[in-house]
């Protein structure tokens, strides 16, 4: 069964400039190469879900500028249904990223059109309600995340929240979440610093199911029915860990939407994360279903 996945989230154009060192305030530094790549957690996870084999639609707002044209084209070419995306007059979301030779970076995110993604339309609400899985992150207005999760819950759609980046959430938002996906930093921020085994317990007080991603150590899963399991990572040669979390979360939405057992879905998502870190790049490193399968079955 091909699951229908809806991602309601952000899209940014990442403008990445490389230089020997980062400029100090007021200083101009002559740099090296420049690349422009689609980014934003929403767009990345939509691409990840589409490549992983989900019938994926993106809901969000993209600017009327040249970046918007490129963003639309790139997501469309990745197999994401962009037919319901809003075009917002003005700038698209942009991340201006400077990276030095040591890999240190400085990032300025200008949310642009993402900020205008408010007030879900009837069509957007119906699209969410008709899906098998809804996937949200926290780079758009939280009232929209809340409304999308409510629409999912009301329609019987499984709701996944990747609580990234960590933000203070409106009361009640987490009540609409079926599965929370967080890394260790986000878990720490949400629970206000619970440590060790207490982190999962603290998160389960908020949501019924939790996946904690542990980078090279894989993931941990716990739920209110008493499950608590470590799902080990696949061993691969690491080239670049950028977007591993997006690859993982997009693939998890697809696998869970296919009706797989949750621990098997997490194992499959670990394979997607591993496939992503083998390659240099952000959205360009998000793996296809075949790449995920080859790692999943090789172990
Ligand atoms: P984030 O990028 O959101 O911080 P993580 O770094 O925890 O997320 O990575 C997400 C998932 O990607 C992990 O749960 C794991 O399955 C996979 N992954 C990340 N780093 C590695 C690695 N070095 N080797 C194998 N798998 C990895």
């Amino acid at each position: 069964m091909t699951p229908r996945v809806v991602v309601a989230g952000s899209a940014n154009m990442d403008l990445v400039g490389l230089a020997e060192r980062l400029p100090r305030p007021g200083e101009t530094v002559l740099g090296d190469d420049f690349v422009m790549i689609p980014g934003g957690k929403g767009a990345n996870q939509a691409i990840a879900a589409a490549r992983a084999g989900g019938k994926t639609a993106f809901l969000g707002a993209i600017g009327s500028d040249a970046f918007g044209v490129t963003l639309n084209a790139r997501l469309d070419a990745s197999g994401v249904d962009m037919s319901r995306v809003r075009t917002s007059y003005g700038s698209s979301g942009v991340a201006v990223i400077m990276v030095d030779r040591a890999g240190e970076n400085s990032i300025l995110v200008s949310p642009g059109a993402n900020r205008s993604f408010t007030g879900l339309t009837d069509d957007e609400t119906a699209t969410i309600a008709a899906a098998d899985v809804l996937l949200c992150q926290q780079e758009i207005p939280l009232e929209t995340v809340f409304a999308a999760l409510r629409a999912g819950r009301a329609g019987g759609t499984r709701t996944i929240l990747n609580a990234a980046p960590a933000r203070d959430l409106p009361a009640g938002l987490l009540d609409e979440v079926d599965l929370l996906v967080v890394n260790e930093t986000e878990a720490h921020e949400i629970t206000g610093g619970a440590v060790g085994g207490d982190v999962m317990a603290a998160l389960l007080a908020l949501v019924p199911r939790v996946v904690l991603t542990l980078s090279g150590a894989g993931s941990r899963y716990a739920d209110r029915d008493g499950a608590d399991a470590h799902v080990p990572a696949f061993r691969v040669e690491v080239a670049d860990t950028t977007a591993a979390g997006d690859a993982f979360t997009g693939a998890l939405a697809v696998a869970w939407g296919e009706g797989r057992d949750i621990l098997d879905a997490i194992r499959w998502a670990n394979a997607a994360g591993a496939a992503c870190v083998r390659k240099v790049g952000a959205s360009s490193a998000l793996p296809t279903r075949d790449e995920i399968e080859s790692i999943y079955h090789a172990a």
Side-chain angles (χ1 to χ4, degrees):
M1 166 239 186
T2 303
R4 288 157 303 171
V5 177
V6 171
V7 179
S10 61
N12 291 328
M13 190 57 88
D14 289 350
L15 309 177
V16 187
L18 308 172
E20 186 168 345
R21 61 178 182 82
L22 301 178
R24 289 184 293 270
E27 189 192 20
T28 301
V29 166
L30 200 58
D32 302 327
D33 288 347
F34 168 81
V35 282
M36 193 168 98
I37 11 175
K41 288 182 190 299
N44 278 354
Q45 292 180 19
I47 293 172
R51 291 207 183 140
K55 187 170 163 12
T56 306
F58 180 70
L59 301 179
I62 287 178
S64 57
D65 54 1
F67 295 141
V69 175
T70 308
L71 279 171
N72 262 301
R74 291 282 184 89
L75 271 97
D76 182 70
S78 303
V80 178
D81 176 359
M82 298 295 282
S83 63
R84 291 181 185 82
V85 173
R86 305 180 189 188
T87 304
S88 156
Y89 184 82
S91 304
S92 293
V94 170
V96 180
I97 304 172
M98 293 183 283
V99 185
D100 73 13
R101 296 248 168 98
E104 186 63 60
N105 61 32
S106 239
I107 304 180
L108 172 77
V109 176
S110 171
N114 295 302
R115 223 182 243 149
S116 73
F117 184 28
T118 56
L120 285 187
T121 63
D122 290 347
D123 185 45
E124 287 165 338
T125 303
T127 302
I128 292 169
D132 296 304
V133 181
L134 168 73
L135 178 53
C136 296
Q137 313 76 26
Q138 300 183 166
E139 287 184 339
I140 56 170
L142 291 174
E143 61 179 273
T144 310
V145 176
F146 201 168
L149 291 168
R150 260 194 308 252
R153 184 50 76 67
T157 302
R158 288 177 169 186
T159 60
I160 303 180
L161 177 66
N162 174 212
R167 291 169 69 180
D168 286 336
L169 298 177
L173 185 147
L174 289 173
D175 295 343
E176 310 295 334
V177 173
D178 293 325
L179 174 63
L180 181 73
V181 179
V182 283
N183 66 18
E184 290 171 287
T185 312
E186 291 140 12
H188 195 78
E189 292 197 28
I190 292 175
T191 58
V195 283
D198 294 337
V199 172
M200 294 311 252
L203 292 169
L204 287 177
L206 305 168
V207 292
R209 294 172 201 84
V210 176
V211 176
L212 178 65
T213 65
L214 302 166
S215 301
S219 325
R220 200 167 147 200
Y221 172 75
D223 66 30
R224 284 182 183 164
D225 293 330
D228 188 351
H230 174 237
V231 187
F234 290 88
R235 282 231 200 112
V236 289
E237 201 160 312
V238 180
D240 177 5
T241 59
T242 310
D246 292 335
F248 176 93
T249 308
L252 180 64
V254 172
W256 201 36
E258 281 169 357
R260 290 182 188 227
D261 167 73
I262 186 72
L263 289 177
D264 183 45
I266 293 168
R267 198 175 121 78
W268 201 74
N270 277 349
C276 180
V277 303
R278 281 194 312 189
K279 288 193 196 171
V280 176
S283 50
S284 58
L286 295 167
T288 62
R289 191 173 181 93
D290 285 350
E291 289 168 329
I292 300 171
E293 289 280 322
S294 76
I295 289 185
Y296 176 82
H297 290 295

